[in-house]
Amino acid sequence: MAKRAPLGVVAVLIFFSAQLPAQQTGTLSAAGASASVEARLAKLEQQVADAKSSADNAWMLTSAALVLMMTGPGLALFYGGLVRKKNVLSTMMQSFAMMAVITLLWGLVSYSVAFGPGTSFVGGFHNLFLRGVGAAPDPDYAGTIPAQTFMVYQLMFAIITPGLIAGAFAERMKFSAMLLFMVLWSFLVYDPMAHMVWGKGGLLNASLGGRFPCLDFAGGTVVHVTSGVSALVCALYLGKRVGYPKEMITPHSVVLSFIGACFLWVGWFGFNAGSALGAGSLATSAFVATHFAAAAAAIGWSAAEWVRNGKPSALGAISGAVAGLVAITPAAGFVGPMSAIVIGFVAGAFCFWMVAKVKARFGYDDSLDAFGVHGAGGTLGALLTGVFAVSGINPIFKDAQGNALASGLFEGNAHQLLNQFVGVVIAWLIAIVGTLVILKIVDVVVGLRVAEDDEIQGLDLSQHGEEGYSWEVTA
């Protein structure tokens, strides 16, 4: 007969055999619960990321629409009201034409030249015909929005910038010449400058390791210096309007210009706050700085005009606001509201002096003061950015450990003024040289200026065969 195990041993074996499956089940249950928690956390993180991406994308699409509104109706009305009534449609048509022509140019080639990988001075052809520009973000530019959103937002800057130049040659350039000039200027001046300041590997790019990191949040050098300086070159090359300055040439409707300026002020929030490329606190800071600078500049220009002429004008007030918006553009994402007030007030007074004194002293016919406001205001704003920028607003410079470094002069980074100066000088040079070459080419190919009889008749009729106002006289 087989020997039986002691009763106590049997009991212990039975106990442990009963416990073993329970422990294994518990272990499996714990592992399953842990995996479930990790899966839920991962899903929650993805939902948070998707929500942020959606919010940022919504803000950027809204900003793109606001910037487009700056060209039409903003700039079209602002410039259209400043010319004589016989040229109102032709002037507004120049802005509208940019909305169509530059859009196609941007999609075909310019976006690639401005933002595609290339050299320190110009991008390449990797993104021709918007190849590779789709729903996936480009982390080098904006990691939370589709690359196509970034592309279309930057397009709106490319549209309005050449449109600003038209203020200098208003009432005297052929429409065909204007079209050819703007296409060549956008490709040869704007695109390389945009790449140098904002593009991957750009010489002046502060966020992507440029050789001379120039702080330009929303286009002080890229947009305003290049367009304003090019405007001056155009005014000098084309010469004065027939009758200027002997005849009194006044705006035909300050009301239209007033409405246009208000559109520009509102649209500028998309221009500056949108340049944060997201719906975060930096966008708020840029929004606030933009508004305070515009208000201070309107007061600065009006005060200077009041002292000089004995009364403030509506045209002066809206011109001052635009000057402040120009000057704060490069600084909007780097300064606080009090610095913005200083920049705006100084810009308003300075641009008034450029328009009222300097222009009169040298006698050039910058028809709508594109240089006096955009060239001068953009240059001033770019330099003052190097003075007032603070890392507490936007820690764009960091050491190897990721700690924020000083941004501007008042914070202890005096070298930044040199970088700003280099950016301004490059913008001036590329604008002067590029514009002169382009003007000469256009002059040879199609001729720049309308005939004197056409200019006297007005460009609405001579260039487009229509009139902005039709007054019917009834018996």
Side-chain angles (χ1 to χ4, degrees):
M1 191 173 181
K3 231 176 162 182
R4 293 184 180 179
L7 188 59
V9 174
V10 173
V12 170
L13 290 174
I14 292 173
F15 173 78
F16 278 105
S17 65
Q19 292 298 315
L20 186 59
Q23 289 176 345
Q24 291 177 340
T25 302
T27 300
L28 292 174
S29 297
S34 177
S36 177
V37 169
E38 290 178 1
R40 290 177 183 176
L41 286 175
K43 184 177 180 180
L44 180 61
E45 289 175 355
Q46 185 60 49
Q47 288 174 337
V48 170
D50 290 344
K52 175 172 173 52
S53 178
S54 296
D56 288 345
N57 196 43
W59 168 238
M60 292 310 302
L61 291 174
T62 301
S63 294
L66 286 170
V67 179
L68 182 62
M69 187 183 74
M70 291 174 65
T71 303
L75 187 65
L77 286 169
F78 186 69
Y79 276 179
L82 293 177
V83 297
R84 289 165 289 185
K85 63 177 179 291
K86 62 183 179 180
N87 296 313
V88 58
L89 282 183
S90 62
T91 301
M92 298 178 83
M93 184 62 177
Q94 290 168 347
S95 293
F96 190 80
M98 293 304 95
M99 296 168 66
V101 173
I102 301 302
T103 293
L104 297 187
L105 180 67
W106 190 253
L108 295 175
V109 62
S110 283
Y111 177 75
S112 185
V113 173
F115 289 97
T119 69
S120 296
F121 300 96
V122 66
F125 299 128
H126 177 74
N127 299 119
L128 284 180
F129 310 114
L130 299 182
R131 183 181 62 183
V133 182
D138 186 336
D140 288 330
Y141 292 129
T144 62
I145 61 174
Q148 199 167 72
T149 298
F150 177 80
M151 177 277 297
V152 79
Y153 176 69
Q154 292 296 337
L155 163 61
M156 304 313 171
F157 285 68
I159 287 172
I160 193 171
T161 305
L164 296 172
I165 304 173
F169 55 69
E171 303 190 301
R172 59 195 188 277
M173 183 183 278
K174 293 179 181 178
F175 186 70
S176 58
M178 185 277 301
L179 288 175
L180 181 57
F181 172 83
M182 292 305 191
V183 168
L184 293 175
W185 188 91
S186 295
F187 185 69
L188 298 175
V189 177
Y190 180 84
D191 293 348
M193 194 66 202
H195 180 79
M196 281 189 277
V197 176
W198 295 327
K200 301 174 184 178
L203 180 71
L204 304 172
N205 194 312
S207 60
L208 294 176
R211 175 68 181 83
F212 297 97
C214 177
L215 298 179
D216 190 350
F217 191 71
T221 53
V222 179
V223 175
H224 299 294
V225 174
T226 56
S227 64
V229 173
S230 296
L232 177 62
V233 175
C234 287
L236 294 173
Y237 191 98
L238 266 75
K240 302 172 184 178
R241 287 168 290 179
V242 174
Y244 182 90
K246 295 179 180 179
E247 297 178 10
M248 182 68 69
I249 300 178
T250 57
H252 89 280
S253 176
V254 177
V255 172
L256 290 184
S257 297
F258 203 101
I259 296 170
C262 292
F263 274 118
L264 286 170
W265 190 328
V266 174
W268 227 289
F269 294 128
F271 201 85
N272 287 358
S275 292
L277 300 176
S281 59
L282 184 58
T284 298
S285 181
F287 191 110
V288 171
T290 299
H291 189 61
F292 276 74
I299 294 172
W301 185 302
S302 296
E305 186 180 40
W306 206 335
V307 170
R308 183 176 186 269
N309 299 335
K311 60 186 70 173
S313 68
L315 180 57
I318 60 176
S319 298
V322 172
L325 291 164
V326 168
I328 199 60
T329 291
F334 303 110
V335 303
M338 296 302 106
S339 296
I341 290 174
V342 175
I343 292 173
F345 189 87
V346 172
F350 176 69
C351 290
F352 169 77
W353 176 72
M354 288 295 298
V355 169
K357 299 291 291 185
V358 175
K359 176 181 171 181
R361 170 67 179 81
F362 290 97
Y364 55 86
D365 186 11
D366 177 8
S367 308
L368 311 181
D369 296 316
F371 172 71
V373 173
H374 296 277
T379 298
L380 177 69
L383 296 176
L384 290 181
T385 300
V387 175
F388 291 102
V390 292
S391 58
I393 299 293
N394 187 352
I396 194 167
F397 300 130
K398 297 180 180 179
D399 61 19
Q401 289 71 43
N403 300 313
L405 298 174
S407 295
L409 174 65
F410 285 172
E411 201 176 36
N413 183 13
H415 186 72
Q416 190 55 38
L417 269 180
L418 175 61
N419 293 332
Q420 298 301 113
F421 181 75
V422 170
V424 167
V425 169
I426 289 175
W428 272 73
L429 288 176
I430 192 174
I432 292 172
V433 175
T435 303
L436 280 174
V437 171
I438 295 167
L439 285 172
K440 187 62 179 177
I441 292 173
V442 176
D443 203 6
V444 170
V445 174
V446 298
L448 282 169
R449 189 158 179 165
V450 298
E452 183 173 334
D453 289 344
D454 289 342
E455 185 176 337
I456 293 172
Q457 181 186 39
L459 273 61
D460 287 1
L461 281 172
S462 67
Q463 299 298 297
H464 303 289
E466 55 191 346
E467 294 181 277
Y469 305 100
S470 179
W471 310 115
E472 294 185 2
V473 179
T474 59

